[in-house]
């Protein structure tokens, strides 16, 4: 807490130009996404593309183009994936520029806002509460400057900085103001590499992707020995026709490879980024979309989240006969004491002018930890006194009569500050000692118009919302109650919370509204909820939210919030719209639920392909299909429907156990499909009147009908477009069977009545078995299996529950575009 000194002027324009010419600039590239080369490499150079590519080359050497269609489809799918990721890259790059920090730099004696790249060595960078330090330097000016270095050192306590002290990039200001001279810029700065990595768009570890990787690892283990056995068996069976043996071998291997699963996962994520980008939502870490979909508890900071940043003076209430005119003059000069006023102080500045005859001697800016700001003023009569402005229940002892009046104002949803005068020095251990309460300042908070609707959405989605604020608990409870938050009528003063983690978790889990929460307590409360198995999201905009944002499973920052909050959050709402959160949740649920749904289709195919290969090896018969048959089966029962299902609306909350749930259905369903088709094949081969083409055609019909039944199960619950999708796939296969040139192209000719109708009968029996399996596993089915995933019904329930059609349409309709 220091008096203001003489301001330094900073570098001159000539000095800046000289440093730029020497290359002493902050030239760290800010990357929000992978490079184009990395995107192409990631989509093209995959292990399964290598397998498919090799088989494509082999089949082109020995067979007609019909049997090589699978290769062209892979090329098309990979191209689509690259295009979608490039679109996502462009979206993120544009949003990253909008959300980039713009520090204030003093040059030629004037303060100006620059980009990080424009800072040069020796620049004088100004600091205020909430600012993030982006380059290394040494403190030149300090006015009660407190800097949190926890992101670098792990130490939560802020450090009081004095002129000459070093400051590192990656730290942020929690209180006070000042300036520092840059000593290291560009790649030499301490946190430059960390900052670059933190802002990069990556497909890093997530439960969904790790689950898919686990599945692919299992498939690889099955694929190699099965493929080797299939190759040997087909060469043995078709000794006289090597080309036919190769074609049959390729036909058996290709469907084992779930080549489109990884592609659809990446594409679903990329399209999610594009959709959210249209809503001015910057996803700084891609798995955040998935993570927020798993959230079951959202911790909300009231100010800036439920309420807008600005405030209005509702009333100035003098106490004990104090002169209201004097209180107004003191408030006016206190407003000038903080160079970076918060919303409360800004409302005071806008309302009360600076009083004449008063002189500011010393100042202490507002701190979230102590809950007050203060100043030593020289009064017109010549006397000096300490004036404090802050939380009444912090500045006054418990039981003070003024606190009853504070509670009455708080019950109206007003934020109340106490103005008091003390003879204790501002630099003393307790400046509030002997404080005389002179006036109460009641501020009216501007509640966001969309806050009630968004809270209703979370309530309907079974996501607990907990309001955690530094304000008075009664006032926070009143605001939350006006928004319809359950449990708001029983707010908790955080100063009464237990310190024991187990007891704290019990209290936090039970209640919904908490006031007078310190930044460290916010962090502890997030940890307490996580210890009880909750997946926690934290939203906030102020520097007091940084610690909790960093520790939460998902941190969501407002775009107008402090640079520090935007730096640690995984998701930044650039337009500051709280109502954007449902869209983020909806995108995550769409990605996870639909990828789980599509994974079932791919893995059923893998299982029945492996089973057919093993049966062919054991029975020493030709493989029943050619590659062209596998292509048409995969396209109509997996590829085309999988694309639509992967991008459809889906609002079921994600749950752990992705791999177990997928395999629980895919393995028995694949066994049923493989057994049904191979049974039909053996029966058809027993009828010597028909040839290989007729046998293959009947078997293909059987496998298609069973796979279509699987698709019909996976597509549940039905909507009009899902029913149309299933019927369209059935119609597509019917065209292949009845149009002559398609019959010839795909070599499918049904002969007679016995074998085709036998295949239909076997398919019906297999379908009934699939229904039994489905009913057995249905209690375990998650979002991806279709339980409760009907977005239309979900949106209707939201409207019925009191959420407006506008918000419901944003959540579900936007995903359908």
């Amino acid at each position: 807490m220091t008096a203001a000194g003489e301001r330094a002027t900073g570098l001159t324009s000539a000095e800046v130009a000289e440093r730029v010419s020497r290359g002493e600039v902050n030239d760290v590239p800010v990357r929000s996404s992978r490079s184009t080369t990395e995107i192409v490499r990631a989509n093209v150079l995959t292990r399964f593309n290598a397998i498919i590519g090799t088989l494509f080359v082999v089949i082109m050497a020995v067979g007609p183009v019909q049997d090589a269609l699978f290769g062209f489809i892979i090329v098309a799918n990979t191209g689509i994936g690259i295009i979608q990721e490039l679109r996502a890259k462009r979206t993120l790059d544009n949003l990253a520029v909008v959300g980039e920090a713009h520090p204030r730099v003093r040059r030629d004696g004037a303060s100006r806002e620059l980009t990080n790249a424009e800072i040069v060595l020796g620049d004088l960078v100004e600091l205020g509460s909430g600012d993030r330090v982006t380059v290394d330097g040494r403190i030149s000016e300090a006015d009660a400057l407190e800097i949190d270095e926890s992101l670098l050192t792990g130490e939560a306590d802020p450090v009081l900085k004095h002129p000459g002290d070093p400051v590192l990039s990656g730290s942020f200001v929690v209180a006070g103001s000042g300036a520092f001279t840059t000593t290291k810029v560009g790649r030499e700065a301490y946190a430059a590499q960390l900052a670059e990595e933190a802002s990069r768009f990556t497909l890093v570890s997530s439960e969904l992707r790790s689950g898919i990787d686990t599945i692919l690892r299992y498939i690889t283990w099955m694929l190699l020995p099965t493929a080797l056995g299939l190759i040997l068996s087909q060469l043995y069976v078709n000794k006289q026709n090597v080309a036919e043996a190769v074609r049959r071998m390729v036909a058996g291997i290709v469907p084992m490879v779930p080549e489109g699963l990884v592609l659809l996962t990446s594409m679903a994520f990329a399209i999610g980024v594009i959709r959210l980008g249209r809503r001015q939502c910057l996803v700084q870490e891609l798995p955040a979309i998935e993570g927020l979909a798993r959230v079951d508890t959202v911790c909300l900071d009231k100010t800036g989240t439920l309420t807008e940043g600005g405030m209005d003076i509702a009333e100035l209430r003098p106490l004990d006969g104090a002169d209201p005119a004097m209180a107004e003059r003191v408030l006016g000069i206190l407003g000038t004491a903080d160079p970076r006023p918060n919303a409360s102080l800004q409302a005071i500045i806008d309302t009360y002018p600076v009083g004449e005859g008063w002189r500011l001697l010393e100042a202490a800016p507002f701190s979230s930890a102590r809950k007050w700001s203060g100043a030593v003023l020289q009064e017109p009569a010549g006397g000096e006194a300490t004036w404090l402005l802050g939380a009444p229940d912090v500045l006054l002892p418990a039981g003070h009569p003024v606190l009853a009046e504070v509670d009455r104002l708080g019950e109206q949803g007003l934020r109340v500050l106490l103005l008091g005068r003390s003879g204790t020095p501002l630099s003393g251990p307790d400046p509030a000692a002997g404080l005389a309460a002179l006036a109460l300042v009641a501020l009216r908070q501007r509640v966001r118009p969309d806050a009630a609707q968004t809270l209703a959405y979370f309530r309907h989605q079974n996501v607990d919302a907990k309001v955690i604020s530094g304000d008075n608990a009664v006032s926070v409870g009143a605001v939350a109650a006006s928004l319809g938050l359950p449990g708001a009528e029983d707010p908790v003063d955080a100063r009464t919370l237990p310190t024991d983690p187990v007891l704290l978790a019990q209290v936090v889990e039970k209640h919904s509204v908490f006031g007078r929460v310190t930044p460290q307590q916010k962090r502890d409360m997030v940890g307490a909820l996580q210890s009880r198995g909750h997946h926690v999201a934290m939203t906030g905009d102020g520097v007091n939210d940084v610690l909790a944002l960093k520790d939460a499973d998902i941190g969501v920052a407002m775009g107008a919030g402090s640079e520090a909050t935007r730096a640690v959050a995984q998701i930044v709402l650039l337009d500051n719209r709280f109502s954007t959160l449902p869209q983020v949740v909806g995108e995550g649920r769409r990605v996870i639920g639909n990828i789980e749904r599509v994974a079932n289709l791919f893995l059923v195919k893998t299982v029945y392909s492996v089973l057919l290969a093993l049966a062919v090896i054991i029975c020493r018969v030709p493989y029943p299909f050619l590659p062209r048959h596998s292509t048409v089966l995969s396209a109509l029962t997996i590829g085309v429907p999988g694309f639509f299902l992967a991008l459809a609306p889906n609002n079921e909350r994600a749950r752990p156990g992705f791999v177990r749930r997928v395999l629980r259905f895919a393995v028995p369903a694949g066994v049923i499909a493989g057994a049904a088709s191979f049974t039909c094949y053996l029966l058809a081969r027993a009828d010597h009147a028909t040839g290989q083409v007729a046998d293959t055609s009947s078997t293909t019909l059987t496998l298609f009908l069973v796979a279509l039944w699987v698709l019909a199960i996976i597509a549940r619950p039905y909507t009009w477009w899902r029913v149309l999708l299933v019927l369209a796939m059935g119609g597509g296969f019917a065209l292949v069977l009845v149009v002559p040139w398609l019959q010839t192209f795909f070599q499918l000719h049904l002969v007679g009545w016995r074998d085709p109708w036998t295949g239909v009968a076997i398919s019906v029996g297999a379908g009934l078995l699939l229904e039994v399996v489905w009913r057995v596993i249905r209690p375990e089915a998650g979002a991806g299996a279709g339980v409760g995933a009907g977005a239309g019904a979900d949106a209707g329930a939201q409207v019925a529950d009191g959420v407006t059609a506008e918000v419901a349409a944003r959540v579900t309709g936007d995903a359908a575009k």
Side-chain angles (χ1 to χ4, degrees), residues 472-779:
N472 178 275
V474 176
S475 174
V476 177
V479 172
S482 70
L483 299 174
L485 180 68
E489 67 284 349
D490 185 24
V492 176
D493 191 315
R495 291 171 296 185
T496 65
L497 288 174
T499 56
D500 180 77
V502 176
L503 297 177
L504 176 64
Q506 294 174 355
V507 176
V508 175
E509 200 172 38
K510 181 179 178 182
H511 294 83
S512 300
V513 178
F514 302 85
R516 292 294 176 236
V517 186
T518 66
Q520 184 59 44
Q521 281 182 312
K522 288 188 178 184
R523 185 184 208 175
D524 294 341
M525 293 166 78
V526 168
L529 288 167
Q530 290 171 327
S531 71
R532 305 278 285 195
H534 294 286
H535 203 83
V536 183
M538 176 74 196
T539 70
D541 69 336
V543 68
N544 58 320
D545 302 315
V546 170
L547 296 177
L549 283 169
K550 185 177 65 142
D551 283 6
D553 295 292
I554 296 295
V556 182
M558 295 294 173
S562 69
E563 293 177 17
T565 57
R566 298 200 303 270
V568 301
Q570 287 91 3
I571 293 174
V572 181
L573 306 180
L574 295 174
D575 60 356
N576 304 300
R577 291 179 60 179
F578 181 43
S579 59
T580 304
L581 273 182
Q583 278 105 48
V584 182
V585 174
E587 279 303 317
R589 292 183 173 181
R590 179 190 63 77
V591 169
I592 296 177
N594 292 339
I595 292 304
E596 184 170 328
R597 189 190 297 270
V598 172
N600 275 287
L601 294 177
F602 278 101
L603 296 183
V604 166
K605 180 190 75 167
T606 297
V607 172
Y608 73 61
S609 299
V610 171
L611 183 64
L612 282 173
L614 292 174
V616 164
I617 293 170
I618 294 170
C619 297
R620 296 183 180 182
V621 295
Y623 192 79
F625 307 115
L626 291 172
R628 67 192 76 174
H629 304 137
S630 299
T631 299
V632 73
L633 286 169
S634 296
L636 294 178
T637 62
I638 300 170
V640 174
F643 178 84
F644 286 99
L645 292 175
L647 303 181
N650 192 328
N651 280 318
E652 183 72 12
R653 191 173 79 206
R655 296 181 295 130
F658 165 73
V659 174
R660 177 176 57 84
R661 281 197 307 277
V662 169
L663 295 180
R664 187 178 170 87
F665 175 74
V667 171
V671 169
I672 291 171
S677 56
F678 195 69
T679 300
C680 179
Y681 181 54
L682 292 180
L683 292 176
R685 280 180 59 82
D687 184 2
H688 299 291
T690 61
Q692 178 68 29
V693 172
D695 299 344
T696 294
S697 299
S698 299
T699 308
T700 303
L701 172 65
T702 303
L703 184 54
F704 174 81
L705 293 175
V706 178
L708 190 69
W709 203 308
V710 171
L711 173 62
I713 290 175
I714 295 301
R716 296 171 184 169
Y718 295 128
T719 58
W720 68 267
W721 69 265
R722 288 192 177 113
V723 173
L724 183 61
L725 178 66
V726 175
L727 293 177
M729 297 303 100
F733 189 74
L735 286 176
V736 172
L737 293 180
V738 299
V739 176
W741 73 268
L742 287 176
Q743 288 180 348
T744 303
F745 185 85
F746 287 106
Q747 202 170 323
L748 286 174
H749 299 279
L750 295 176
V751 177
W753 292 94
R754 197 200 77 164
D755 289 347
W757 282 107
T758 299
V760 170
I762 292 174
S763 301
V764 171
L768 295 177
L769 285 177
L770 288 172
E771 292 293 342
V772 172
V773 170
W774 171 247
R775 291 185 180 278
V776 170
I777 71 163
R778 187 171 180 175

Side-chain angles (χ1 to χ4, degrees), residues 67-101:
D67 287 330
L69 288 177
F70 64 88
F72 296 109
I73 292 174
I74 294 303
V75 172
N77 286 345
T78 303
I80 292 171
I82 292 172
I83 291 170
Q84 291 293 359
E85 273 211 61
L86 289 176
R87 289 181 63 201
K89 167 185 166 60
R90 186 169 63 250
T91 299
L92 282 180
D93 287 345
N94 293 337
L95 291 178
V97 172
V98 176
E100 185 184 15

